[in-house]
């Protein structure tokens, strides 16, 4: 028996779709999730979960599951590319939890997917269902899948990523835009890196035309790395290919020995073209809406992609739980509450690409002075608007 009397079908079984399904179930809605792949999984390696997202996950009962595999980093440590000089060091772990009430986590994406999926009744997740189309009848939405299955619901949610078929059905097909960056991603066993004395921090090494990030995942057993490089075009058919570690090592020639050491220890690296989309004016139409990368795909330079998708699901659930007889009104409220906040983070993430990759010179020195003074978006005071946000309570306040 579902207290709200509203049925919801969610398309997409990534972090956004799973967390939305769990939030909607917790709010008493009748929810089913449909995923095109034959098994749940996640391309990529590490994910950062800041307090604005861990607040949601803990309330959904996942604190114990997260504690088993997540790492609580001691600090955010931004460093200069060649000499390793500290540009800014902001405390995380205990201080961030004391300030914002919930932890900052580093996780393997597969561990987060497993925690979310494990909290959802198995009969609510339908694998091997690729969306073929949908029809909003005004009284409900019928989703049609390529395997011949049809599913009726009061509301349809597109959580199907940057290639979203739900988005295309609502607003027409539009190609994502290449952002001029590619990322090499990989995992290295911690045991191979002990001679490097890597701290349990999120290290971001900033340099001309590129940057490098490393942090621990997998309960501290693995080091995740992301090496972002600017390039003019992307000609591969796939966005995620197996790359040659020698190529990325050559691209970081002259960088700090710790950066080089991580790359030298890597057996493999996957190359990932970074795409985004222009911000939308609307996310919803009738009884159909979007969340996560389907409506606000962003560069990873604020570490907020997954967190914002988790926030979306919590706010959507709160809006639908408070809905009257017309769910479309609740979807409009959800969009109003979420769109400005997500669009702001899209813009900030894009701006960080420029800031992180400044060539050595006057602008770079000015940036480094700002980092040292704590006047950038990474200081606690400046980031409070982001980490203090309570997505489940947003319906009671102003749009974010």
């Amino acid at each position: 028996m579902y207290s709200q009397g509203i049925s919801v079908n969610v398309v997409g079984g990534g972090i956004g779709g799973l967390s939305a399904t769990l939030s909607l179930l917790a709010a008493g809605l009748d929810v089913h999730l449909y995923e095109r792949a034959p098994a749940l999984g996640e391309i990529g390696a590490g994910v950062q979960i800041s307090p604005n997202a861990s607040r949601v996950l803990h309330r959904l009962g996942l604190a114990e599951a997260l504690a088993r595999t997540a790492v609580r980093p001691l600090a955010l440590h931004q460093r200069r590319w060649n000499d390793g000089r500290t540009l800014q060091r902001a405390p995380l772990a205990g201080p961030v939890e004391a300030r914002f009430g919930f932890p900052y986590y580093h996780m393997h994406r597969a561990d987060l997917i497993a925690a979310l999926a494990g909290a959802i009744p198995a009969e609510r997740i339908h694998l091997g269902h690729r969306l073929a189309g949908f029809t909003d009848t005004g009284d409900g939405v019928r989703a049609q899948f390529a395997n011949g299955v049809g599913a009726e619901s009061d509301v349809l949610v597109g959580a199907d990523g940057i290639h979203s078929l739900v988005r295309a059905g609502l607003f027409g097909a539009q190609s994502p835009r290449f952002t001029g960056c590619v990322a090499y991603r990989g995992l290295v066993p911690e045991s191979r890196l002990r001679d490097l004395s890597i701290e349990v921090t999120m290290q971001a090494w900033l340099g001309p035309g590129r940057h490098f990030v490393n942090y621990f995942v997998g309960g501290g057993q693995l080091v995740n790395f992301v090496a972002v490089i600017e390039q003019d075009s992307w000609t591969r058919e796939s966005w995620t290919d197996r790359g040659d570690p020698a190529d990325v090592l050559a691209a970081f020639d002259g960088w700090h020995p710790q950066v080089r050491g991580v790359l030298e220890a890597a057996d493999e690296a996957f190359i990932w073209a970074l795409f985004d989309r222009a911000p939308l004016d609307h996310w919803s139409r009738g009884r159909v809406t979007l969340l996560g990368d389907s409506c606000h795909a962003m560069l990873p330079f604020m570490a907020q992609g997954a967190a914002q998708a988790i926030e979306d699901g919590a706010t959507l659930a709160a809006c639908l739980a408070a809905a009257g007889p017309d769910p479309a009104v609740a979807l409009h409220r959800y969009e109003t509450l979420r769109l400005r906040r997500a669009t702001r983070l899209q813009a900030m993430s894009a701006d960080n690409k420029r800031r992180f990759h400044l060539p050595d010179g006057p602008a770079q020195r000015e940036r480094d002075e700002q980092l040292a003074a704590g006047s950038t978006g990474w200081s606690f005071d400046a980031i409070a608007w982001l980490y203090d946000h309570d997505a489940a309570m947003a319906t009671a306040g102003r749009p974010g």
Side-chain angles (χ1 to χ4, degrees), residues 316-398:
L316 176 63
C319 289
L320 286 172
D326 185 0
V329 174
L331 299 188
H332 177 72
R333 176 65 172 155
Y334 154 72
E335 171 188 302
T336 300
L337 289 167
R338 292 295 306 157
L339 192 149
R340 187 172 71 184
R341 180 174 170 86
T343 300
R344 178 182 181 183
L345 282 159
Q346 282 180 290
M348 293 178 70
S349 299
D351 187 59
N352 272 349
K353 171 193 168 185
R354 178 193 60 80
R355 291 179 59 252
F356 287 1
H357 295 175
L358 289 173
D360 286 347
Q364 164 260 320
R365 289 192 291 271
E366 181 181 0
R367 176 202 66 194
D368 294 352
E369 291 171 1
Q370 291 173 348
L371 286 168
S375 59
T376 71
W378 285 109
S379 68
F380 266 21
D381 288 343
I383 210 72
W385 70 273
L386 178 57
Y387 290 174
D388 268 334
H389 185 73
D390 191 334
M393 299 299 291
T395 53
R398 296 178 301 171

Coordinates of all heavy atoms in Angstrom, one line a residue, residues 316-398:
L316 N 12.6 15.8 -5.8 CA 11.5 15.2 -6.6 C 10.5 14.4 -5.7 O 9.3 14.6 -5.8 CB 12.0 14.4 -7.7 CG 11.0 13.6 -8.6 CD1 10.1 14.6 -9.3 CD2 11.6 12.7 -9.6
A317 N 11.1 13.6 -4.8 CA 10.3 12.8 -3.9 C 9.5 13.7 -3.0 O 8.3 13.4 -2.8 CB 11.1 11.8 -3.1
A318 N 10.1 14.7 -2.5 CA 9.4 15.6 -1.6 C 8.2 16.3 -2.3 O 7.1 16.5 -1.7 CB 10.3 16.6 -1.0
C319 N 8.5 16.7 -3.5 CA 7.4 17.4 -4.3 C 6.3 16.5 -4.6 O 5.1 16.9 -4.5 CB 8.0 18.0 -5.6 SG 9.1 19.4 -5.3
L320 N 6.6 15.3 -5.0 CA 5.5 14.3 -5.4 C 4.7 13.9 -4.1 O 3.5 13.6 -4.2 CB 6.0 13.1 -6.1 CG 6.4 13.4 -7.6 CD1 7.2 12.2 -8.2 CD2 5.2 13.8 -8.4
A321 N 5.4 13.7 -3.0 CA 4.8 13.3 -1.8 C 3.8 14.4 -1.3 O 2.8 14.1 -0.7 CB 5.8 13.1 -0.7
A322 N 4.0 15.6 -1.7 CA 3.1 16.7 -1.3 C 2.2 17.1 -2.4 O 1.4 18.1 -2.3 CB 3.9 18.0 -0.9
A323 N 2.1 16.3 -3.5 CA 1.4 16.6 -4.6 C -0.1 16.5 -4.4 O -0.6 15.7 -3.6 CB 1.7 15.7 -5.8
G324 N -0.9 17.4 -5.1 CA -2.3 17.3 -5.1 C -2.7 16.3 -6.2 O -2.0 15.4 -6.6
P325 N -3.9 16.5 -6.8 CA -4.4 15.6 -7.8 C -3.7 15.6 -9.1 O -3.8 14.7 -9.9 CB -5.9 16.0 -8.0 CG -5.9 17.4 -7.5 CD -4.9 17.5 -6.4
D326 N -2.9 16.7 -9.4 CA -2.3 16.8 -10.7 C -0.7 16.7 -10.5 O -0.1 17.7 -10.0 CB -2.6 18.1 -11.3 CG -2.0 18.3 -12.7 OD1 -1.3 17.3 -13.2 OD2 -2.2 19.3 -13.4
P327 N -0.1 15.6 -10.8 CA 1.3 15.5 -10.6 C 2.1 16.5 -11.4 O 3.3 16.8 -11.0 CB 1.6 14.0 -11.0 CG 0.4 13.3 -10.9 CD -0.7 14.3 -11.2
A328 N 1.6 17.0 -12.5 CA 2.3 17.9 -13.3 C 2.7 19.2 -12.5 O 3.7 19.8 -12.7 CB 1.5 18.3 -14.5
V329 N 1.8 19.5 -11.6 CA 2.1 20.7 -10.7 C 3.3 20.4 -9.8 O 4.2 21.3 -9.7 CB 0.8 21.0 -9.9 CG1 1.2 22.2 -8.9 CG2 -0.3 21.4 -10.8
A330 N 3.4 19.2 -9.3 CA 4.5 18.8 -8.5 C 5.8 18.8 -9.3 O 6.9 19.2 -8.8 CB 4.3 17.5 -7.9
L331 N 5.8 18.4 -10.6 CA 6.9 18.4 -11.4 C 7.4 19.8 -11.7 O 8.6 20.1 -11.8 CB 6.7 17.6 -12.7 CG 6.3 16.1 -12.5 CD1 6.3 15.4 -13.9 CD2 7.3 15.4 -11.6
H332 N 6.5 20.7 -11.9 CA 6.8 22.1 -12.1 C 7.5 22.7 -10.9 O 8.5 23.4 -11.0 CB 5.6 22.9 -12.5 CG 5.9 24.4 -12.7 ND1 6.6 24.9 -13.7 CD2 5.6 25.4 -11.9 CE1 6.7 26.2 -13.6 NE2 6.1 26.5 -12.5
R333 N 7.0 22.3 -9.7 CA 7.6 22.8 -8.5 C 9.0 22.2 -8.3 O 9.9 23.0 -8.0 CB 6.7 22.3 -7.3 CG 7.3 22.7 -5.9 CD 7.4 24.2 -5.7 NE 7.7 24.5 -4.3 CZ 8.3 25.6 -3.9 NH1 8.6 26.5 -4.8 NH2 8.6 25.8 -2.7
Y334 N 9.2 21.0 -8.6 CA 10.5 20.3 -8.6 C 11.5 21.1 -9.5 O 12.6 21.4 -9.1 CB 10.4 18.9 -9.0 CG 11.6 18.2 -9.6 CD1 12.7 17.9 -8.8 CD2 11.6 17.9 -10.9 CE1 13.8 17.3 -9.3 CE2 12.7 17.3 -11.5 CZ 13.8 17.0 -10.7 OH 15.0 16.4 -11.2
E335 N 11.1 21.3 -10.7 CA 11.9 22.0 -11.7 C 12.3 23.4 -11.2 O 13.5 23.8 -11.3 CB 11.2 22.1 -13.0 CG 11.8 22.9 -14.0 CD 10.9 23.1 -15.2 OE1 10.6 22.0 -15.8 OE2 10.6 24.2 -15.6
T336 N 11.3 24.1 -10.6 CA 11.6 25.4 -10.1 C 12.6 25.4 -9.0 O 13.5 26.3 -8.9 CB 10.3 26.1 -9.6 OG1 9.3 26.1 -10.7 CG2 10.5 27.5 -9.0
L337 N 12.5 24.4 -8.1 CA 13.4 24.4 -7.0 C 14.8 24.0 -7.4 O 15.8 24.4 -6.7 CB 12.9 23.3 -6.0 CG 11.6 23.8 -5.2 CD1 11.0 22.6 -4.5 CD2 12.0 24.9 -4.2
R338 N 15.0 23.1 -8.4 CA 16.2 22.5 -8.7 C 17.0 23.2 -9.9 O 18.2 23.2 -9.9 CB 16.0 21.1 -9.1 CG 15.6 20.2 -8.0 CD 16.6 20.0 -6.9 NE 17.9 19.6 -7.5 CZ 19.1 19.8 -6.9 NH1 19.1 20.4 -5.8 NH2 20.2 19.4 -7.5
L339 N 16.3 23.8 -10.8 CA 17.0 24.2 -12.0 C 18.1 25.3 -11.8 O 19.2 25.2 -12.3 CB 15.9 24.7 -13.0 CG 16.4 24.9 -14.5 CD1 15.3 24.6 -15.5 CD2 16.9 26.3 -14.7
R340 N 17.8 26.3 -11.0 CA 18.7 27.4 -10.8 C 20.0 26.9 -10.2 O 21.1 27.3 -10.5 CB 18.1 28.5 -10.0 CG 19.0 29.8 -10.0 CD 18.3 30.9 -9.3 NE 18.0 30.7 -7.9 CZ 17.4 31.6 -7.1 NH1 16.8 32.6 -7.7 NH2 17.2 31.3 -5.8
R341 N 19.8 26.0 -9.2 CA 21.0 25.5 -8.4 C 21.9 24.7 -9.3 O 23.1 24.8 -9.3 CB 20.5 24.7 -7.2 CG 21.6 24.1 -6.4 CD 20.9 23.4 -5.1 NE 21.8 22.6 -4.4 CZ 22.7 23.0 -3.4 NH1 22.7 24.3 -3.1 NH2 23.4 22.2 -2.8
A342 N 21.3 23.7 -10.1 CA 22.0 22.9 -11.0 C 22.7 23.7 -12.1 O 23.9 23.4 -12.4 CB 21.2 21.8 -11.6
T343 N 22.0 24.7 -12.6 CA 22.6 25.5 -13.7 C 23.8 26.3 -13.1 O 24.8 26.5 -13.8 CB 21.6 26.5 -14.2 OG1 20.5 25.7 -14.8 CG2 22.1 27.3 -15.3
R344 N 23.7 26.8 -11.9 CA 24.8 27.5 -11.3 C 26.0 26.6 -11.2 O 27.2 27.0 -11.5 CB 24.4 28.0 -9.9 CG 25.5 28.7 -9.1 CD 25.0 29.1 -7.7 NE 26.1 29.8 -7.0 CZ 25.9 30.2 -5.7 NH1 24.8 30.0 -5.1 NH2 26.9 30.9 -5.1
L345 N 25.8 25.4 -10.8 CA 27.0 24.4 -10.7 C 27.5 24.0 -12.0 O 28.7 23.8 -12.1 CB 26.5 23.2 -9.8 CG 26.5 23.5 -8.3 CD1 25.6 22.5 -7.6 CD2 27.9 23.5 -7.8
Q346 N 26.7 23.9 -13.0 CA 27.2 23.7 -14.4 C 28.2 24.8 -14.8 O 29.3 24.5 -15.3 CB 26.1 23.7 -15.4 CG 25.3 22.4 -15.4 CD 24.2 22.5 -16.5 OE1 23.2 23.2 -16.3 NE2 24.3 21.7 -17.6
A347 N 27.8 26.1 -14.5 CA 28.7 27.2 -14.9 C 29.9 27.2 -14.0 O 31.0 27.5 -14.6 CB 27.9 28.5 -14.7
M348 N 29.8 26.9 -12.7 CA 31.0 26.9 -11.9 C 32.0 25.8 -12.3 O 33.2 26.0 -12.3 CB 30.6 26.7 -10.4 CG 29.8 27.9 -9.9 SD 29.3 27.7 -8.2 CE 30.9 27.7 -7.3
S349 N 31.4 24.7 -12.7 CA 32.3 23.5 -13.1 C 33.0 23.9 -14.4 O 34.2 23.6 -14.5 CB 31.5 22.3 -13.3 OG 30.8 21.9 -12.1
A350 N 32.3 24.6 -15.3 CA 33.0 25.0 -16.6 C 34.1 26.0 -16.3 O 35.1 26.0 -16.9 CB 31.9 25.5 -17.5
D351 N 33.8 26.9 -15.3 CA 34.8 28.0 -15.0 C 36.0 27.4 -14.4 O 37.2 27.9 -14.6 CB 34.2 29.0 -14.1 CG 35.1 30.2 -13.9 OD1 35.5 30.8 -14.9 OD2 35.5 30.5 -12.7
N352 N 35.9 26.3 -13.6 CA 37.0 25.7 -13.0 C 37.9 25.0 -14.0 O 39.1 24.9 -13.7 CB 36.6 24.6 -12.0 CG 36.3 25.2 -10.6 OD1 36.7 26.3 -10.3 ND2 35.7 24.4 -9.7
K353 N 37.4 24.6 -15.1 CA 38.3 24.2 -16.2 C 39.3 25.2 -16.5 O 40.5 25.0 -16.6 CB 37.5 23.8 -17.4 CG 38.4 23.5 -18.7 CD 37.5 23.5 -19.9 CE 38.4 23.4 -21.2 NZ 37.6 23.5 -22.4
R354 N 38.9 26.5 -16.7 CA 39.8 27.6 -17.0 C 40.7 27.8 -15.9 O 42.0 28.0 -16.1 CB 39.0 28.8 -17.3 CG 39.8 30.1 -17.7 CD 38.9 31.3 -17.6 NE 38.3 31.6 -16.3 CZ 38.9 32.1 -15.3 NH1 40.2 32.5 -15.4 NH2 38.3 32.3 -14.2
R355 N 40.2 27.9 -14.7 CA 41.0 28.2 -13.5 C 42.1 27.1 -13.2 O 43.2 27.5 -12.9 CB 40.2 28.4 -12.3 CG 39.3 29.6 -12.3 CD 38.4 29.7 -11.1 NE 39.2 29.8 -9.8 CZ 39.3 28.8 -9.0 NH1 38.7 27.7 -9.1 NH2 40.0 29.0 -7.9
F356 N 41.7 25.9 -13.4 CA 42.7 24.8 -13.1 C 43.8 24.7 -14.1 O 44.9 24.3 -13.7 CB 41.9 23.4 -13.1 CG 41.0 23.2 -11.9 CD1 40.8 24.1 -10.9 CD2 40.3 22.0 -11.8 CE1 40.0 23.9 -9.8 CE2 39.5 21.8 -10.7 CZ 39.3 22.7 -9.7
H357 N 43.6 25.2 -15.3 CA 44.5 24.9 -16.4 C 45.2 26.2 -16.8 O 45.8 26.2 -17.9 CB 43.8 24.3 -17.6 CG 43.2 23.0 -17.3 ND1 42.4 22.3 -18.3 CD2 43.3 22.2 -16.3 CE1 42.0 21.2 -17.8 NE2 42.5 21.0 -16.6
L358 N 45.3 27.2 -16.0 CA 46.0 28.5 -16.4 C 47.4 28.2 -16.7 O 48.1 27.5 -15.9 CB 45.8 29.5 -15.2 CG 44.5 30.1 -15.0 CD1 44.5 31.0 -13.7 CD2 44.0 30.9 -16.2
P359 N 48.0 28.8 -17.7 CA 49.4 28.7 -18.0 C 50.2 29.5 -16.9 O 49.6 30.4 -16.3 CB 49.6 29.4 -19.3 CG 48.4 30.3 -19.5 CD 47.3 29.6 -18.8
D360 N 51.4 29.1 -16.6 CA 52.2 29.8 -15.6 C 52.3 31.2 -16.1 O 52.7 31.5 -17.2 CB 53.5 29.1 -15.5 CG 53.5 27.8 -14.7 OD1 52.4 27.5 -14.1 OD2 54.5 27.0 -14.8
G361 N 52.1 32.1 -15.1 CA 52.1 33.6 -15.4 C 51.3 34.4 -14.5 O 50.9 33.9 -13.4
P362 N 51.0 35.6 -14.8 CA 50.3 36.5 -13.9 C 48.9 36.0 -13.4 O 48.6 36.1 -12.2 CB 50.2 37.8 -14.7 CG 51.3 37.8 -15.7 CD 51.4 36.3 -16.0
A363 N 48.1 35.5 -14.3 CA 46.8 35.0 -14.0 C 46.9 33.8 -13.0 O 46.1 33.6 -12.1 CB 46.0 34.6 -15.2
Q364 N 47.9 32.9 -13.3 CA 48.1 31.8 -12.4 C 48.5 32.2 -11.1 O 48.1 31.7 -10.0 CB 49.2 30.8 -13.1 CG 49.8 29.8 -12.2 CD 51.1 30.3 -11.7 OE1 51.9 30.8 -12.4 NE2 51.4 30.0 -10.4
R365 N 49.4 33.2 -11.0 CA 49.9 33.7 -9.7 C 48.7 34.3 -8.9 O 48.6 34.1 -7.7 CB 51.1 34.6 -9.8 CG 52.3 33.9 -10.3 CD 53.5 34.8 -10.2 NE 53.5 35.9 -11.2 CZ 54.0 35.8 -12.4 NH1 54.6 34.7 -12.8 NH2 54.0 36.9 -13.2
E366 N 47.9 35.0 -9.6 CA 46.7 35.6 -8.9 C 45.8 34.5 -8.4 O 45.3 34.6 -7.3 CB 46.0 36.5 -9.9 CG 44.8 37.2 -9.3 CD 44.0 38.1 -10.2 OE1 44.4 38.2 -11.4 OE2 43.0 38.7 -9.8
R367 N 45.5 33.5 -9.2 CA 44.7 32.4 -8.7 C 45.3 31.7 -7.5 O 44.6 31.5 -6.5 CB 44.6 31.3 -9.8 CG 43.8 30.1 -9.4 CD 44.2 28.9 -10.3 NE 45.6 28.5 -10.1 CZ 46.3 27.7 -10.9 NH1 45.7 27.2 -12.0 NH2 47.5 27.3 -10.7
D368 N 46.6 31.5 -7.5 CA 47.3 30.9 -6.3 C 47.2 31.7 -5.1 O 47.0 31.2 -4.0 CB 48.7 30.6 -6.7 CG 48.9 29.6 -7.8 OD1 47.9 29.0 -8.2 OD2 50.0 29.4 -8.3
E369 N 47.3 33.0 -5.2 CA 47.1 33.9 -4.1 C 45.7 33.8 -3.5 O 45.5 33.9 -2.3 CB 47.4 35.4 -4.5 CG 48.9 35.6 -4.8 CD 49.2 36.9 -5.4 OE1 48.2 37.7 -5.6 OE2 50.4 37.2 -5.7
Q370 N 44.7 33.8 -4.4 CA 43.3 33.6 -4.0 C 43.1 32.3 -3.2 O 42.4 32.3 -2.2 CB 42.4 33.7 -5.2 CG 42.3 35.1 -5.8 CD 41.5 35.1 -7.1 OE1 41.2 34.1 -7.6 NE2 41.2 36.3 -7.6
L371 N 43.7 31.3 -3.8 CA 43.6 30.0 -3.1 C 44.2 30.0 -1.7 O 43.6 29.6 -0.7 CB 44.3 28.9 -3.9 CG 43.5 28.4 -5.2 CD1 44.4 27.6 -6.0 CD2 42.3 27.6 -4.8
A372 N 45.3 30.6 -1.6 CA 46.0 30.7 -0.3 C 45.2 31.5 0.7 O 45.2 31.3 1.9 CB 47.4 31.3 -0.5
A373 N 44.5 32.5 0.2 CA 43.7 33.4 1.1 C 42.3 32.8 1.4 O 41.6 33.4 2.2 CB 43.5 34.8 0.4
G374 N 42.0 31.7 0.8 CA 40.7 31.1 1.1 C 39.5 31.8 0.6 O 38.4 31.7 1.1
S375 N 39.8 32.6 -0.5 CA 38.7 33.4 -1.1 C 38.0 32.8 -2.3 O 37.2 33.4 -3.0 CB 39.3 34.8 -1.5 OG 40.3 34.7 -2.4
T376 N 38.4 31.6 -2.6 CA 37.7 30.9 -3.7 C 36.6 30.0 -3.3 O 36.3 29.9 -2.1 CB 38.8 30.0 -4.4 OG1 39.1 28.8 -3.6 CG2 40.0 30.7 -4.7
G377 N 35.9 29.3 -4.2 CA 34.8 28.5 -3.9 C 35.1 27.3 -3.1 O 34.1 26.5 -2.7
W378 N 36.3 27.0 -2.8 CA 36.6 25.8 -2.0 C 36.7 26.0 -0.5 O 36.9 25.1 0.3 CB 37.9 25.2 -2.5 CG 37.8 24.5 -3.8 CD1 38.2 24.9 -5.0 CD2 37.1 23.3 -4.1 NE1 37.9 24.0 -6.0 CE2 37.1 23.0 -5.5 CE3 36.4 22.4 -3.3 CZ2 36.6 21.9 -6.1 CZ3 35.8 21.3 -3.9 CH2 35.9 21.0 -5.2
S379 N 36.7 27.3 -0.1 CA 36.8 27.5 1.4 C 35.5 27.2 2.0 O 34.4 27.2 1.4 CB 37.1 29.0 1.6 OG 36.0 29.8 1.3
F380 N 35.5 26.8 3.3 CA 34.3 26.4 4.0 C 33.2 27.5 4.0 O 32.1 27.2 3.7 CB 34.6 26.1 5.5 CG 34.9 24.7 5.8 CD1 35.3 23.8 4.7 CD2 34.8 24.2 7.0 CE1 35.6 22.5 5.0 CE2 35.1 22.8 7.3 CZ 35.5 22.0 6.3
D381 N 33.6 28.7 4.2 CA 32.6 29.8 4.2 C 31.9 29.9 2.8 O 30.7 30.1 2.7 CB 33.2 31.1 4.6 CG 33.5 31.2 6.1 OD1 33.0 30.3 6.8 OD2 34.3 32.0 6.5
A382 N 32.8 29.9 1.8 CA 32.2 30.0 0.4 C 31.4 28.9 0.0 O 30.5 29.0 -0.9 CB 33.4 30.3 -0.5
I383 N 31.7 27.7 0.5 CA 31.0 26.5 0.0 C 29.8 26.1 0.8 O 29.1 25.2 0.5 CB 32.0 25.3 0.0 CG1 31.7 24.2 -1.1 CG2 32.1 24.6 1.4 CD1 32.0 24.7 -2.5
A384 N 29.5 26.9 1.9 CA 28.4 26.6 2.8 C 27.1 26.5 2.0 O 26.2 25.7 2.3 CB 28.3 27.6 3.9
W385 N 26.9 27.4 1.0 CA 25.6 27.4 0.3 C 25.4 26.0 -0.4 O 24.2 25.6 -0.6 CB 25.6 28.5 -0.8 CG 26.6 28.2 -1.9 CD1 27.9 28.6 -1.9 CD2 26.3 27.5 -3.1 NE1 28.5 28.1 -3.1 CE2 27.5 27.5 -3.9 CE3 25.2 26.9 -3.7 CZ2 27.6 26.9 -5.1 CZ3 25.3 26.4 -5.0 CH2 26.5 26.3 -5.7
L386 N 26.5 25.3 -0.7 CA 26.4 24.0 -1.4 C 26.2 22.9 -0.4 O 25.3 22.1 -0.5 CB 27.6 23.8 -2.2 CG 27.8 22.5 -3.0 CD1 26.6 22.3 -3.9 CD2 29.1 22.5 -3.8
Y387 N 27.1 22.8 0.6 CA 27.1 21.7 1.5 C 26.0 21.7 2.6 O 25.6 20.7 3.1 CB 28.4 21.6 2.2 CG 29.6 21.2 1.4 CD1 30.9 21.2 1.9 CD2 29.4 20.9 0.0 CE1 32.0 20.9 1.1 CE2 30.5 20.5 -0.8 CZ 31.8 20.5 -0.2 OH 32.9 20.2 -1.0
D388 N 25.5 22.9 2.9 CA 24.4 23.0 3.9 C 23.0 22.7 3.3 O 22.1 22.5 4.1 CB 24.3 24.4 4.5 CG 25.2 24.6 5.7 OD1 25.4 23.6 6.4 OD2 25.6 25.7 6.0
H389 N 22.9 22.6 2.0 CA 21.6 22.4 1.4 C 21.0 21.1 1.8 O 21.6 20.1 1.8 CB 21.8 22.5 -0.2 CG 20.5 22.4 -0.9 ND1 19.7 23.5 -1.0 CD2 19.9 21.4 -1.6 CE1 18.6 23.2 -1.8 NE2 18.8 21.9 -2.1
D390 N 19.7 21.2 2.1 CA 18.9 20.0 2.5 C 17.9 19.8 1.4 O 16.8 20.4 1.4 CB 18.2 20.2 3.8 CG 17.6 18.9 4.4 OD1 17.3 18.0 3.6 OD2 17.5 18.8 5.6
A391 N 18.2 18.9 0.4 CA 17.3 18.7 -0.8 C 15.9 18.2 -0.4 O 15.0 18.5 -1.1 CB 18.0 17.7 -1.7
A392 N 15.8 17.4 0.6 CA 14.5 16.8 1.0 C 13.6 17.9 1.6 O 12.4 17.7 1.6 CB 14.7 15.7 2.0
M393 N 14.2 19.0 2.1 CA 13.4 20.0 2.8 C 13.3 21.2 1.9 O 12.7 22.3 2.3 CB 14.1 20.4 4.1 CG 14.2 19.3 5.1 SD 12.6 18.7 5.6 CE 12.0 20.1 6.5
A394 N 13.8 21.1 0.6 CA 13.8 22.3 -0.2 C 12.4 22.8 -0.5 O 12.2 24.0 -0.8 CB 14.5 22.0 -1.5
T395 N 11.4 22.0 -0.5 CA 10.0 22.4 -0.8 C 9.5 23.4 0.2 O 8.6 24.2 -0.1 CB 9.1 21.2 -0.8 OG1 9.2 20.5 0.4 CG2 9.4 20.3 -2.0
A396 N 10.1 23.5 1.3 CA 9.7 24.5 2.3 C 10.4 25.8 2.2 O 10.0 26.8 2.9 CB 10.0 23.9 3.7
G397 N 11.4 25.9 1.3 CA 12.2 27.1 1.2 C 12.2 27.7 -0.2 O 11.3 27.3 -1.0
R398 N 13.2 28.5 -0.5 CA 13.3 29.1 -1.8 C 14.1 28.2 -2.7 O 14.8 27.3 -2.2 CB 14.1 30.4 -1.6 CG 13.3 31.5 -0.8 CD 14.2 32.7 -0.7 NE 15.5 32.4 0.0 CZ 16.5 33.3 0.0 NH1 16.4 34.5 -0.5 NH2 17.6 32.9 0.7

